[in-house]
């Protein structure tokens, strides 16, 4: 029934004023129209060829014009219907109302302000470092390549830092089938000794470069996670002051394949996120993926896709909401660390978090995912800005972020704690969690002088205890934790191997210091009382020589000794920088790694297998040449695994099959 006293035109001035306030000015409308006109009408980008989906353009809801329309609709409905307006802030509490008004767009203003600030202070021209985003912490038990029993016999898998948490690598196997990443495809190989042969090949297309793999069996279904670096083409995007910076930013993608029948891999789904691939872990059927996303182009407050990481699936990507973005206290570069969790059972992304400030190092325990990023002061004290000699950076600080996994595979990724320690991390082995506490080893610099330190942090990443000058004027070269003991190698002229008692986290104590020439760049627990070291020999004056294996006796951590050592014929080993290149088979007392031997005009790859005896030391069992396939030589990535009585060595584009006992070559497979 109409109220006869109500004038239907009484509110006209109000609505006119509202319409005027919500109408974009001419310049804004022009820019929005240009942006929409430039957007492709249909899908763009490419994904896997015949086995993967194409990548549609990002959804149009993220466009400013759509947000303006949505905001207008919210205000109009509220004004007309008199209902409660849902808060536009993404992190505001959601309250139940009788209104049918949809929630408004996320409020990115705070995040935009933070990104603008870091781009102003750091500049958009910084180049990302190729930092190693590697391993996790070790426990007291000897680390294996996770030897397991399979239908075709026992086998070894990837050498990992934390027992039970798999790490992505270019080769994966279940003892029956081997999956090898080569370029834009994955070759599936049936392991059968002399009868080893290819079964299938997964081709991703020209825009996807396979970088790593993960393999998981659950309830009779095998899933292969193919991690690829995706480039959408050579379209240039602008610097803020003109010019272009080259191809559009890369995306990291995970293609999930059902390989229950390895003859016919079937694509299930795809997940993607902004940035260059850094590392991935597999725990309880969930892939935890971390990428490094740098902001190079001009950012637009009206378009979060220009300053917020994108995540999505086979149908496109959307910017993360502000609630899933964290800003470090003092980010010194326009970069994000983007972490996502993908459930292999459902194929769904169950969690996501982006950290403005980035991460150079990733470590994961069964309880937490840690991201560590190092920032530097600008100028060394006492050195003039216009000094003719290069200025040294000084005062590195490592920011740490803890993302708990307490809710299991279905839990979200949220930041539970932030903290920092002086110095920079060497790699993932510099971090280790034990009994809820994080142990951290760094190299600090003051002026031209460096020093090593160890810090113990609580669950809130506050300091509990430390050894702040573990080795003065020395740099950390390797770290390994074993329960309540930490082993740290530093180097300047000699190789001090420190054993540190961490049983009282508030009072870490150096138990012993072993000084020998050279240094170990990788440490691996062997049994309960030995530690294998791989590194370089050296002289008393600090000069390094050739490669060297060391066997340390740690049965008495107060008196650590180098029980045995052996020179290694070779000039370099990939294992010095990547622990996944190390083959470990403790059941047969074997350890192996690749070496490069450089001649005047060539480099030859070898894979060396040693037998380790706690009393006698090392005995070279096999010196295997990694045979080039199709003219490829000197490829750095080499992996070895054993299945039954045969050893499988991949690299240089092929897979060589040997008898483990004799080292006889029995088969070769082309992986290209």
């Amino acid at each position: 029934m109409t109220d006869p006293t109500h004038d239907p035109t009484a509110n006209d001035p109000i609505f006119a004023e509202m319409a005027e306030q919500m109408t974009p000015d001419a310049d804004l409308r022009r820019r929005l129209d240009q942006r929409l006109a430039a957007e492709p009408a249909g899908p763009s980008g490419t994904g896997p060829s015949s086995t993967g989906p194409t990548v549609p353009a990002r959804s149009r809801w993220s466009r400013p014009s759509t947000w303006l329309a949505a905001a207008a609709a919210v205000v109009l409905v509220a004004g007309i219907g008199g209902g409660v307006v849902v808060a536009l802030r993404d992190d505001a509490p959601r309250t139940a109302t009788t209104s049918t008004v949809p929630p408004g767009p996320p409020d990115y203003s705070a995040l935009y302000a933070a990104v603008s600030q870091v781009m102003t202070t750091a500049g958009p021209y910084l180049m990302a470092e190729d930092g190693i985003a590697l391993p996790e912490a070790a426990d007291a038990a000897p680390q294996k390549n996770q030897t397991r029993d399979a239908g075709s016999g026992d086998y070894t898998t990837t050498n990992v830092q934390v027992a039970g948490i798999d790490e992505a690598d270019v080769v994966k196997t279940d003892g029956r089938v081997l999956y090898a990443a080569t370029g834009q495809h994955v070759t599936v190989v049936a392991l059968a000794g002399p009868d080893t042969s290819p079964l299938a090949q997964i081709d991703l297309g020209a825009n996807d470069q396979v970088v790593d793999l993960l393999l998981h069996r659950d309830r009779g279904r095998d899933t292969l996670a193919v991690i690829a670096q995706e480039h959408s083409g050579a379209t240039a995007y602008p610097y803020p002051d003109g010019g272009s910076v080259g191809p559009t930013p890369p995306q990291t993608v995970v293609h999930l394949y059902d390989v229950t029948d390895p003859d016919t891999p079937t694509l299930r789904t795809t997940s993607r996120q902004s940035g260059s691939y850094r590392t991935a872990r597999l725990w309880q059927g969930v892939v935890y993926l971390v990428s490094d996303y740098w902001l190079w182009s001009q950012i637009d407050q009206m378009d979060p896709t220009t300053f917020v990481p994108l995540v999505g699936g086979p149908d496109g990507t959307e910017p993360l909401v502000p609630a899933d973005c964290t800003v470090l206290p003092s980010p010194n570069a326009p970069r994000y660390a983007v972490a996502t969790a993908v459930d292999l059972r459902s194929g769904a992304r169950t969690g996501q978090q982006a950290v403005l400030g980035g991460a150079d190092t990733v470590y994961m325990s069964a309880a937490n995912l840690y991201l560590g990023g190092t920032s530097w002061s600008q100028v060394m004290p006492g050195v003039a800005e216009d000094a003719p000699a290069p200025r040294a950076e000084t005062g590195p600080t490592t920011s740490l972020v803890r993302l708990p996994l307490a809710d299991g595979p279905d839990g979200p990724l949220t930041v539970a704690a932030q903290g920092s320690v002086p110095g920079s991390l060497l790699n993932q082995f510099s971090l280790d969690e034990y009994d809820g506490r994080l142990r951290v080893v760094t190299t600090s610099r003051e002026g031209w002088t460096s020093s090593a330190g160890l810090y113990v942090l609580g669950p809130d990443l506050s300091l509990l205890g430390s050894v702040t000058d573990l080795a003065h004027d020395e740099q950390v070269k390797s770290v390994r934790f074993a329960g309540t003991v930490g082993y740290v190698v530093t180097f300047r002229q000699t190789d001090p191997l420190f054993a540190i008692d961490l049983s009282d986290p508030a009072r870490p104590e150096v138990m012993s210091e072993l000084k020998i020439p050279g240094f170990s760049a990788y440490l691996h627990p062997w049994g309960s009382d030995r530690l294998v070291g791989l590194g370089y020999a050296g002289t008393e004056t600090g000069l390094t020589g050739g490669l060297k294996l060391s066997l340390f006796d740690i049965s008495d951590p107060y008196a650590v000794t180098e029980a045995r050592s052996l020179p290694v014929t070779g000039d370099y080993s990939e294992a010095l920088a990547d622990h996944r290149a190390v083959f470990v088979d403790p059941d047969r007392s074997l350890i192996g790694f690749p070496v490069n031997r450089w001649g005047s005009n060539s480099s030859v790859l070898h894979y060396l297998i040693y037998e380790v005896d706690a009393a006698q030391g090392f005995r070279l069992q096999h010196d295997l040449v990694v045979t080039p396939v199709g003219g490829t030589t000197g490829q750095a990535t080499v992996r070895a695994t054993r299945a039954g009585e045969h050893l499988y060595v991949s690299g240089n584009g092929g897979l060589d099959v040997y008898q483990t006992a004799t080292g006889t070559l029995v088969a070769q497979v082309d992986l290209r």
Side-chain angles (χ1 to χ4, degrees):
M1 181 176 180
T2 304
D3 183 354
T5 65
H6 175 66
D7 181 1
T9 65
N11 288 328
D12 287 353
I14 298 176
F15 285 107
E17 182 180 357
M18 291 171 58
E20 180 179 356
Q21 291 176 352
M22 291 185 298
T23 301
D25 60 36
D27 181 67
L28 177 59
R29 284 182 305 201
R30 178 184 56 78
R31 288 190 289 119
L32 293 177
D33 289 339
Q34 289 176 346
R35 186 172 296 154
L36 289 172
E39 183 180 11
S44 64
T46 56
S49 54
S50 59
T51 55
T54 57
V55 185
R58 58 194 179 202
S59 298
R60 301 181 72 92
W61 76 266
S62 63
R63 288 298 179 183
S65 57
T66 312
W67 297 348
L68 290 171
V74 169
V75 176
L76 285 173
V77 171
I80 296 172
V84 179
V85 180
V86 178
L88 296 183
R89 286 182 54 84
D90 181 69
D91 56 352
R94 307 301 189 192
T95 56
T97 74
T98 57
S99 171
T100 58
V101 179
D107 181 1
Y108 288 96
S109 57
L111 190 57
Y112 173 79
V115 173
S116 298
Q117 177 65 26
V118 72
M119 293 192 78
T120 300
T121 56
Y125 309 104
L126 299 174
M127 292 300 295
E129 299 179 19
D130 293 329
I132 300 172
L134 285 151
E136 283 22 298
D139 51 28
Q143 298 299 298
K144 304 181 178 183
N145 283 50
Q146 299 183 346
T147 304
R148 303 169 181 171
D149 291 329
S152 59
D154 61 325
Y155 64 100
T156 63
T157 60
T158 305
N159 179 33
V160 301
Q161 183 185 0
V162 178
I165 298 179
D166 197 10
E167 301 184 26
D169 200 7
V170 293
V171 171
K172 289 294 175 180
T173 184
D174 61 3
R176 301 166 297 122
V177 177
L178 181 140
Y179 302 87
T182 306
Q184 286 79 37
H185 63 261
V186 179
T187 302
V188 185
V189 181
L191 301 183
D195 299 321
T196 296
S197 60
L199 287 174
Q201 193 169 83
I202 300 172
D203 293 307
L204 296 189
N207 291 332
D208 279 18
Q209 181 78 22
V210 182
V211 288
D212 263 341
L213 307 170
L214 284 163
L215 181 63
H216 179 65
R217 165 167 284 188
D218 179 59
R219 302 169 189 172
R221 181 167 73 175
D222 294 342
T223 299
L224 180 71
V226 179
I227 305 169
Q229 194 70 75
E230 181 180 83
H231 296 271
S232 59
T235 302
Y237 63 104
Y239 276 134
D241 59 351
S244 62
V245 75
T248 51
Q251 288 189 333
T252 297
V253 297
V254 182
H255 304 292
L256 301 185
Y257 285 87
D258 187 336
V259 290
T260 307
D261 182 355
D263 290 348
T264 56
T266 304
L267 181 67
R268 292 173 49 205
T269 189
T270 295
S271 179
R272 49 178 35 88
Q273 63 194 62
S274 294
S276 301
Y277 172 70
R278 184 159 287 280
T279 189
R281 303 288 186 269
L282 173 61
W283 180 67
Q284 291 191 349
V286 175
V287 172
Y288 295 89
L289 182 71
V290 180
S291 60
D292 192 18
Y293 179 48
W294 283 75
L295 299 174
W296 296 105
S297 63
Q298 229 170 357
I299 63 174
D300 182 350
Q301 185 172 6
M302 299 299 293
D303 186 358
T305 62
T306 65
F307 61 90
V308 180
L310 309 178
V311 296
D315 297 325
T317 56
E318 303 288 359
L320 287 171
V321 297
D324 289 334
C325 299
T326 298
V327 180
L328 292 178
S330 300
N332 74 330
R335 63 187 290 215
Y336 288 91
V338 185
T340 61
V342 179
D343 187 352
L344 295 184
R345 299 174 185 87
S346 65
R349 189 178 64 258
T350 60
Q352 56 274 323
Q353 185 70 212
V355 177
L356 181 62
D360 307 299
T361 307
V362 179
Y363 163 74
M364 185 171 145
S365 69
N368 293 286
L369 176 67
Y370 291 92
L371 306 176
T374 300
S375 59
W376 299 76
S377 60
Q378 298 301 312
V379 182
M380 189 186 74
V383 178
E385 285 281 342
D386 56 352
R391 298 194 305 270
E393 292 179 319
T394 188
T397 299
T398 294
S399 297
L400 296 164
V401 174
R402 179 173 71 86
L403 288 76
L405 310 177
D407 292 333
D410 297 325
L413 286 177
T414 58
V415 174
Q418 297 182 40
S420 63
V421 293
S424 58
L425 303 172
L426 175 67
N427 54 32
Q428 69 186 46
F429 287 95
S430 299
L431 300 171
D432 176 85
E433 186 180 76
Y434 183 81
D435 197 21
R437 302 177 181 90
L438 183 68
R439 293 89 68 91
V440 186
V441 175
T442 66
T443 297
S444 295
R445 291 176 177 84
E446 183 176 351
W448 299 103
T449 304
S450 61
S451 61
L454 182 146
Y455 305 88
V456 182
L457 309 180
D460 61 351
L461 297 183
S462 62
L463 182 65
L464 300 177
S466 64
V467 180
T468 56
D469 196 7
L470 180 63
H472 185 69
D473 210 12
E474 302 265 352
Q475 296 185 13
V476 175
K477 291 298 183 180
S478 60
V479 184
R480 198 79 195 220
F481 291 91
T484 59
V485 180
Y487 298 95
V488 180
V489 170
T490 63
F491 181 74
R492 185 186 180 199
Q493 289 185 333
T494 58
D495 171 5
L497 170 60
F498 295 93
I500 306 165
D501 182 7
L502 298 167
S503 56
D504 183 351
R507 298 178 181 83
E509 180 184 358
V510 176
M511 294 184 284
S512 63
E513 178 183 349
L514 172 66
K515 291 188 176 182
I516 55 176
F519 64 89
S520 296
Y522 175 70
L523 297 172
H524 194 98
W526 198 267
S528 60
D529 57 4
R530 294 292 187 271
L531 195 64
V532 173
L534 173 63
Y536 290 100
T539 67
E540 296 292 342
T541 59
L543 297 176
T544 57
L547 298 177
K548 171 190 172 183
L549 274 170
S550 295
L551 186 64
F552 299 104
D553 185 342
I554 58 173
S555 56
D556 181 1
Y558 286 92
V560 174
T561 62
E562 185 182 37
R564 294 285 186 272
S565 65
L566 184 70
V568 174
T569 303
D571 300 291
Y572 174 76
S573 174
E574 180 191 1
L576 299 173
D578 191 342
H579 64 286
R580 298 172 301 174
V582 179
F583 164 77
V584 184
D585 190 351
D587 292 344
R588 302 198 180 194
S589 300
L590 300 177
I591 192 168
F593 48 87
V595 297
N596 290 79
R597 292 176 184 165
W598 296 324
S600 57
N601 297 312
S602 63
S603 174
V604 180
L605 269 172
H606 294 249
Y607 206 92
L608 308 181
I609 304 292
Y610 290 88
E611 183 180 3
V612 185
D613 184 271
Q616 301 300 318
F618 306 99
R619 183 180 69 86
L620 179 62
Q621 189 178 68
H622 303 307
D623 183 342
L624 310 173
V625 176
V626 183
T627 308
V629 174
T632 57
T633 59
Q635 179 179 318
T637 304
V638 183
R639 298 291 185 264
T641 186
R642 180 185 57 79
E645 300 305 317
H646 291 90
L647 189 69
Y648 300 85
V649 180
S650 66
N652 270 337
L655 177 69
D656 297 335
V657 185
Y658 299 90
Q659 288 182 345
T660 304
T662 64
T664 303
L665 180 66
V666 297
Q668 290 181 298
V669 176
D670 191 338
L671 297 177
R672 295 172 302 160

